[in-house]
Amino acid sequence: LDQQLDIDLRSLFAEAARHQAVAITPAATAELLEFVNKRLEQRLLDEGHRADLVRAVLVASSLADRPARIVAALGELEKLLGEEWWRTMAIAYRRCLRIAKGTRPGPVDPSRFVDRAETALWKAYQAASAGLAVAGSLDTFGRAFQPLVGPVDAFFEEVLVMAEDPDLRANRLNLLATLVAPGAGLVDWNAIADL
């Protein structure tokens, strides 16, 4: 961490295990990773970082087993939480995430849109999709998602996602799942207590 080396601990432990005189089981490697992550968590808490933010970055799939990336993401998250535009974006994103929970991105059929807010959100997503696809950090993702905030708010004001018609409901859930997919592994959005 002090040298900011981007080391993948899982790969490092696997390489070390190959050089041992006894077989190292995957369970033992998983236990070692858990031990190191608990030590990292405690170090970050001892340094005074908010517990919810530490948890949010520790479980992010894009950062898994890479302590230097976890620490960098924590610093970025703390900085961004001080910016109103990012908090507004995160609230809109989390709203979509909450409703789409458990839905995997599936095909979105624009011909099944009933409300103009659905069409507006879909068009906004299409315009932002290239930026969302390459967003590798919380800041770049937030900037790419920012144009969707207004259309997301209008969507939830005008559209009943859980419509009685199962095809209509599925199409709306697929739309929301498609919106949240690019940011899913950056941080555990639901772990952030205060936005």
Side-chain angles (χ1 to χ4, degrees):
L1 290 177
D2 293 341
Q3 299 300 316
Q4 298 177 352
L5 297 176
D6 186 16
I7 296 172
D8 176 353
L9 293 180
R10 188 174 299 277
S11 298
L12 181 69
F13 294 160
E15 181 63 25
R18 286 184 342 111
H19 298 283
Q20 300 306 309
V22 295
I24 307 297
T25 66
T29 302
E31 206 174 304
L32 181 57
L33 283 168
E34 183 180 348
F35 171 79
V36 171
N37 280 335
K38 288 289 183 193
R39 292 292 302 266
L40 176 59
E41 179 180 18
Q42 192 57 54
R43 174 181 169 162
L44 295 172
L45 293 173
D46 289 347
E47 289 174 356
H49 299 282
R50 279 177 32 188
D52 62 323
L53 303 184
V54 170
R55 280 190 299 276
V57 295
L58 277 173
V59 300
S61 63
S62 67
L63 308 171
D65 309 324
R66 294 183 172 277
R69 287 188 189 183
I70 288 169
V71 171
L74 177 60
E76 182 182 35
L77 178 58
E78 289 171 332
K79 177 182 171 265
L80 289 169
L81 281 171
E83 300 188 27
E84 185 62 32
W85 73 268
W86 197 88
R87 285 195 318 275
T88 302
M89 178 284 306
I91 289 167
Y93 178 85
R94 229 166 48 170
R95 194 172 183 189
C96 296
L97 187 64
R98 186 174 53 251
I99 301 297
K101 184 179 180 179
T103 304
R104 293 178 183 247
V108 177
D109 182 358
S111 71
R112 297 188 69 58
F113 293 156
V114 175
D115 296 293
R116 65 191 164 124
E118 291 174 283
T119 302
L121 182 55
W122 178 243
K123 286 181 179 177
Y125 167 75
Q126 288 180 310
S129 63
L132 290 169
V134 297
S137 71
L138 291 169
D139 182 65
T140 57
F141 175 78
R143 292 184 191 285
F145 196 87
Q146 183 64 29
L148 299 174
V149 171
V152 163
D153 290 345
F155 177 83
F156 284 116
E157 287 174 16
E158 299 175 25
V159 176
L160 176 62
V161 176
M162 298 305 191
E164 287 186 34
D165 179 335
D167 292 332
L168 192 58
R169 180 176 57 244
N171 199 49
R172 290 172 177 171
L173 287 170
N174 285 341
L175 172 58
L176 294 176
T178 299
L179 293 181
V180 298
L186 295 174
V187 68
D188 180 352
W189 296 88
N190 292 319
I192 304 170
D194 296 321
L195 281 175

